[in-house]
Short mmCIF file of all heavy atoms in Angstrom, two decimals:
data_model
loop_
_atom_site.label_atom_id
_atom_site.label_comp_id
_atom_site.label_asym_id
_atom_site.label_seq_id
_atom_site.Cartn_x
_atom_site.Cartn_y
_atom_site.Cartn_z
N LYS A 31 5.51 -4.50 9.35
CA LYS A 31 6.04 -5.60 8.55
C LYS A 31 5.03 -6.74 8.44
O LYS A 31 4.79 -7.28 7.35
CB LYS A 31 7.34 -6.13 9.17
CG LYS A 31 8.50 -5.15 9.16
CD LYS A 31 8.99 -4.82 7.77
CE LYS A 31 10.35 -4.13 7.78
NZ LYS A 31 10.42 -2.91 8.58
N GLU A 32 4.44 -7.15 9.56
CA GLU A 32 3.58 -8.33 9.55
C GLU A 32 2.24 -8.06 8.87
O GLU A 32 1.73 -8.90 8.12
CB GLU A 32 3.34 -8.84 10.98
CG GLU A 32 4.56 -9.43 11.65
CD GLU A 32 4.23 -10.09 12.97
OE1 GLU A 32 3.05 -10.03 13.39
OE2 GLU A 32 5.13 -10.68 13.60
N HIS A 33 1.68 -6.92 9.21
CA HIS A 33 0.32 -6.68 8.71
C HIS A 33 0.32 -5.94 7.38
O HIS A 33 -0.27 -6.41 6.40
CB HIS A 33 -0.49 -5.90 9.74
CG HIS A 33 -1.91 -5.70 9.34
ND1 HIS A 33 -2.70 -6.74 8.86
CD2 HIS A 33 -2.68 -4.59 9.30
CE1 HIS A 33 -3.89 -6.27 8.57
NE2 HIS A 33 -3.91 -4.98 8.81
N LEU A 34 1.01 -4.79 7.32
CA LEU A 34 0.96 -3.99 6.10
C LEU A 34 1.63 -4.71 4.93
O LEU A 34 1.00 -4.96 3.89
CB LEU A 34 1.62 -2.64 6.34
CG LEU A 34 1.67 -1.68 5.15
CD1 LEU A 34 0.29 -1.42 4.61
CD2 LEU A 34 2.33 -0.37 5.54
N PHE A 35 2.91 -5.06 5.09
CA PHE A 35 3.63 -5.62 3.95
C PHE A 35 3.44 -7.12 3.78
O PHE A 35 3.71 -7.66 2.71
CB PHE A 35 5.12 -5.27 4.05
CG PHE A 35 5.38 -3.82 3.76
CD1 PHE A 35 5.68 -2.93 4.78
CD2 PHE A 35 5.28 -3.33 2.46
CE1 PHE A 35 5.90 -1.59 4.51
CE2 PHE A 35 5.49 -1.99 2.19
CZ PHE A 35 5.81 -1.12 3.22
N ALA A 36 2.97 -7.81 4.82
CA ALA A 36 2.67 -9.24 4.66
C ALA A 36 1.18 -9.42 4.37
O ALA A 36 0.78 -9.74 3.26
CB ALA A 36 3.10 -10.03 5.88
N ASP A 37 0.34 -9.13 5.35
CA ASP A 37 -1.09 -9.38 5.19
C ASP A 37 -1.70 -8.66 3.99
O ASP A 37 -2.54 -9.21 3.27
CB ASP A 37 -1.85 -8.97 6.45
CG ASP A 37 -1.64 -9.94 7.60
OD1 ASP A 37 -1.28 -11.09 7.32
OD2 ASP A 37 -1.81 -9.53 8.76
N ILE A 38 -1.31 -7.40 3.77
CA ILE A 38 -1.95 -6.61 2.72
C ILE A 38 -1.23 -6.74 1.38
O ILE A 38 -1.82 -7.13 0.37
CB ILE A 38 -2.05 -5.12 3.14
CG1 ILE A 38 -2.94 -4.99 4.38
CG2 ILE A 38 -2.58 -4.27 2.00
CD1 ILE A 38 -3.11 -3.58 4.89
N PHE A 39 0.07 -6.46 1.35
CA PHE A 39 0.79 -6.48 0.07
C PHE A 39 0.90 -7.89 -0.51
O PHE A 39 1.10 -8.05 -1.71
CB PHE A 39 2.19 -5.87 0.24
CG PHE A 39 2.24 -4.39 -0.04
CD1 PHE A 39 1.84 -3.47 0.92
CD2 PHE A 39 2.68 -3.92 -1.26
CE1 PHE A 39 1.88 -2.11 0.67
CE2 PHE A 39 2.74 -2.56 -1.52
CZ PHE A 39 2.33 -1.65 -0.56
N GLU A 40 0.77 -8.92 0.33
CA GLU A 40 0.83 -10.29 -0.18
C GLU A 40 -0.40 -10.66 -0.99
O GLU A 40 -0.35 -11.58 -1.80
CB GLU A 40 0.99 -11.28 0.98
CG GLU A 40 2.43 -11.63 1.28
CD GLU A 40 2.52 -12.77 2.29
OE1 GLU A 40 1.70 -12.82 3.22
OE2 GLU A 40 3.42 -13.62 2.13
N ARG A 41 -1.48 -9.96 -0.79
CA ARG A 41 -2.71 -10.29 -1.51
C ARG A 41 -2.52 -9.98 -2.99
O ARG A 41 -1.93 -8.96 -3.36
CB ARG A 41 -3.89 -9.51 -0.92
CG ARG A 41 -4.22 -9.95 0.50
CD ARG A 41 -5.21 -9.01 1.16
NE ARG A 41 -6.50 -8.99 0.49
CZ ARG A 41 -7.47 -9.88 0.68
NH1 ARG A 41 -7.27 -10.89 1.54
NH2 ARG A 41 -8.62 -9.79 0.06
N ASP A 42 -3.02 -10.86 -3.87
CA ASP A 42 -2.64 -10.79 -5.27
C ASP A 42 -3.69 -10.19 -6.20
O ASP A 42 -3.52 -10.20 -7.42
CB ASP A 42 -2.26 -12.18 -5.79
CG ASP A 42 -3.41 -13.18 -5.69
OD1 ASP A 42 -4.50 -12.81 -5.20
OD2 ASP A 42 -3.21 -14.34 -6.10
N VAL A 43 -4.78 -9.64 -5.69
CA VAL A 43 -5.78 -9.03 -6.57
C VAL A 43 -5.20 -7.78 -7.23
O VAL A 43 -5.43 -7.51 -8.41
CB VAL A 43 -7.06 -8.68 -5.78
CG1 VAL A 43 -8.01 -7.85 -6.64
CG2 VAL A 43 -7.75 -9.97 -5.34
N LEU A 44 -4.44 -7.01 -6.47
CA LEU A 44 -3.75 -5.84 -7.01
C LEU A 44 -2.26 -6.13 -7.10
O LEU A 44 -1.70 -6.83 -6.27
CB LEU A 44 -3.97 -4.62 -6.12
CG LEU A 44 -5.40 -4.11 -5.93
CD1 LEU A 44 -5.41 -2.89 -5.01
CD2 LEU A 44 -6.06 -3.78 -7.27
N THR A 45 -1.62 -5.55 -8.10
CA THR A 45 -0.17 -5.67 -8.23
C THR A 45 0.52 -4.72 -7.26
O THR A 45 -0.12 -3.81 -6.70
CB THR A 45 0.27 -5.32 -9.66
OG1 THR A 45 -0.01 -3.93 -9.90
CG2 THR A 45 -0.46 -6.18 -10.69
N TYR A 46 1.82 -4.90 -7.08
CA TYR A 46 2.57 -3.96 -6.25
C TYR A 46 2.44 -2.55 -6.80
O TYR A 46 2.31 -1.57 -6.03
CB TYR A 46 4.06 -4.35 -6.22
CG TYR A 46 4.38 -5.57 -5.37
CD1 TYR A 46 5.65 -6.16 -5.45
CD2 TYR A 46 3.46 -6.13 -4.50
CE1 TYR A 46 5.98 -7.28 -4.68
CE2 TYR A 46 3.77 -7.24 -3.73
CZ TYR A 46 5.03 -7.81 -3.83
OH TYR A 46 5.34 -8.91 -3.07
N ALA A 47 2.50 -2.40 -8.11
CA ALA A 47 2.39 -1.07 -8.72
C ALA A 47 1.04 -0.43 -8.40
O ALA A 47 0.96 0.76 -8.06
CB ALA A 47 2.61 -1.15 -10.23
N GLN A 48 -0.03 -1.22 -8.51
CA GLN A 48 -1.36 -0.68 -8.20
C GLN A 48 -1.47 -0.30 -6.72
O GLN A 48 -2.06 0.73 -6.36
CB GLN A 48 -2.43 -1.70 -8.56
CG GLN A 48 -2.63 -1.87 -10.06
CD GLN A 48 -3.57 -3.01 -10.39
OE1 GLN A 48 -3.49 -4.09 -9.80
NE2 GLN A 48 -4.47 -2.79 -11.33
N ARG A 49 -0.88 -1.11 -5.85
CA ARG A 49 -0.94 -0.81 -4.42
C ARG A 49 -0.15 0.47 -4.10
O ARG A 49 -0.57 1.27 -3.27
CB ARG A 49 -0.42 -2.00 -3.61
CG ARG A 49 -1.37 -3.20 -3.66
CD ARG A 49 -1.02 -4.28 -2.65
NE ARG A 49 -1.94 -5.41 -2.76
CZ ARG A 49 -3.16 -5.45 -2.21
NH1 ARG A 49 -3.58 -4.40 -1.50
NH2 ARG A 49 -3.94 -6.50 -2.36
N GLU A 50 0.96 0.66 -4.77
CA GLU A 50 1.71 1.89 -4.53
C GLU A 50 0.98 3.10 -5.11
O GLU A 50 1.06 4.20 -4.57
CB GLU A 50 3.13 1.78 -5.11
CG GLU A 50 4.07 0.95 -4.27
CD GLU A 50 4.22 1.46 -2.84
OE1 GLU A 50 3.99 2.67 -2.59
OE2 GLU A 50 4.53 0.65 -1.95
N LEU A 51 0.24 2.89 -6.20
CA LEU A 51 -0.57 3.97 -6.75
C LEU A 51 -1.65 4.38 -5.74
O LEU A 51 -1.91 5.58 -5.53
CB LEU A 51 -1.21 3.51 -8.06
CG LEU A 51 -1.70 4.58 -9.02
CD1 LEU A 51 -0.58 5.51 -9.44
CD2 LEU A 51 -2.32 3.91 -10.25
N VAL A 52 -2.28 3.39 -5.11
CA VAL A 52 -3.26 3.68 -4.05
C VAL A 52 -2.59 4.44 -2.91
O VAL A 52 -3.09 5.47 -2.45
CB VAL A 52 -3.88 2.37 -3.51
CG1 VAL A 52 -4.80 2.67 -2.32
CG2 VAL A 52 -4.65 1.65 -4.60
N THR A 53 -1.45 3.95 -2.48
CA THR A 53 -0.77 4.52 -1.32
C THR A 53 -0.34 5.97 -1.57
O THR A 53 -0.57 6.85 -0.74
CB THR A 53 0.47 3.67 -0.95
OG1 THR A 53 0.06 2.31 -0.76
CG2 THR A 53 1.11 4.18 0.31
N VAL A 54 0.27 6.21 -2.73
CA VAL A 54 0.69 7.57 -3.08
C VAL A 54 -0.53 8.50 -3.13
O VAL A 54 -0.48 9.64 -2.64
CB VAL A 54 1.45 7.59 -4.41
CG1 VAL A 54 1.63 9.01 -4.94
CG2 VAL A 54 2.80 6.92 -4.26
N SER A 55 -1.61 8.03 -3.71
CA SER A 55 -2.82 8.86 -3.85
C SER A 55 -3.41 9.22 -2.49
O SER A 55 -3.81 10.37 -2.26
CB SER A 55 -3.85 8.12 -4.70
OG SER A 55 -3.33 7.79 -5.97
N VAL A 56 -3.46 8.24 -1.59
CA VAL A 56 -4.01 8.49 -0.25
C VAL A 56 -3.15 9.51 0.51
O VAL A 56 -3.65 10.48 1.06
CB VAL A 56 -4.11 7.18 0.55
CG1 VAL A 56 -4.44 7.47 2.00
CG2 VAL A 56 -5.16 6.27 -0.06
N ILE A 57 -1.85 9.27 0.51
CA ILE A 57 -0.96 10.15 1.27
C ILE A 57 -0.96 11.55 0.69
O ILE A 57 -0.99 12.55 1.43
CB ILE A 57 0.47 9.57 1.31
CG1 ILE A 57 0.47 8.22 2.01
CG2 ILE A 57 1.42 10.52 2.02
CD1 ILE A 57 1.79 7.47 1.92
N ALA A 58 -0.95 11.66 -0.64
CA ALA A 58 -0.98 12.98 -1.27
C ALA A 58 -2.29 13.70 -0.97
O ALA A 58 -2.30 14.91 -0.72
CB ALA A 58 -0.79 12.84 -2.78
N ALA A 59 -3.40 12.97 -0.98
CA ALA A 59 -4.70 13.58 -0.70
C ALA A 59 -4.82 14.07 0.73
O ALA A 59 -5.47 15.08 1.01
CB ALA A 59 -5.83 12.59 -1.01
N LEU A 60 -4.18 13.35 1.67
CA LEU A 60 -4.22 13.77 3.08
C LEU A 60 -3.34 14.99 3.33
O LEU A 60 -3.63 15.78 4.22
CB LEU A 60 -3.79 12.60 3.97
CG LEU A 60 -4.74 11.40 4.00
CD1 LEU A 60 -4.14 10.27 4.82
CD2 LEU A 60 -6.10 11.80 4.56
N GLY A 61 -2.28 15.14 2.54
CA GLY A 61 -1.43 16.33 2.63
C GLY A 61 -0.50 16.33 3.82
O GLY A 61 -0.72 15.66 4.83
N ASP A 62 0.60 17.11 3.67
CA ASP A 62 1.54 17.38 4.76
C ASP A 62 2.11 16.11 5.39
O ASP A 62 2.22 16.01 6.61
CB ASP A 62 0.87 18.25 5.83
CG ASP A 62 1.90 18.91 6.76
OD1 ASP A 62 3.04 19.10 6.30
OD2 ASP A 62 1.56 19.22 7.90
N LEU A 63 2.43 15.12 4.56
CA LEU A 63 3.03 13.88 5.05
C LEU A 63 4.28 13.58 4.21
O LEU A 63 4.43 12.51 3.63
CB LEU A 63 2.03 12.73 4.96
CG LEU A 63 0.80 12.84 5.88
CD1 LEU A 63 -0.25 11.82 5.50
CD2 LEU A 63 1.20 12.67 7.34
N GLN A 64 5.18 14.56 4.15
CA GLN A 64 6.29 14.51 3.21
C GLN A 64 7.16 13.25 3.33
O GLN A 64 7.46 12.62 2.31
CB GLN A 64 7.17 15.75 3.36
CG GLN A 64 8.36 15.76 2.40
CD GLN A 64 9.17 17.03 2.54
OE1 GLN A 64 8.76 17.97 3.19
NE2 GLN A 64 10.35 17.03 1.93
#
């Protein structure tokens, strides 16, 4: 909560949608993290 969703998601260079696009891409690329 404090670091990921506050420190990182609060930063405004990327939108929430762009950050979720990054997150989905990373998790999908790593595989087996359903």
Side-chain angles (χ1 to χ4, degrees):
K31 295 294 194 305
E32 291 188 357
H33 184 48
L34 179 57
F35 287 106
D37 286 338
I38 297 180
F39 269 80
E40 267 188 323
R41 293 169 64 82
D42 60 0
V43 171
L44 298 180
T45 65
Y46 286 169
Q48 288 173 317
R49 290 191 181 279
E50 283 303 335
L51 200 59
V52 175
T53 305
V54 168
S55 303
V56 170
I57 298 171
L60 293 175
D62 197 25
L63 294 168
Q64 180 178 349

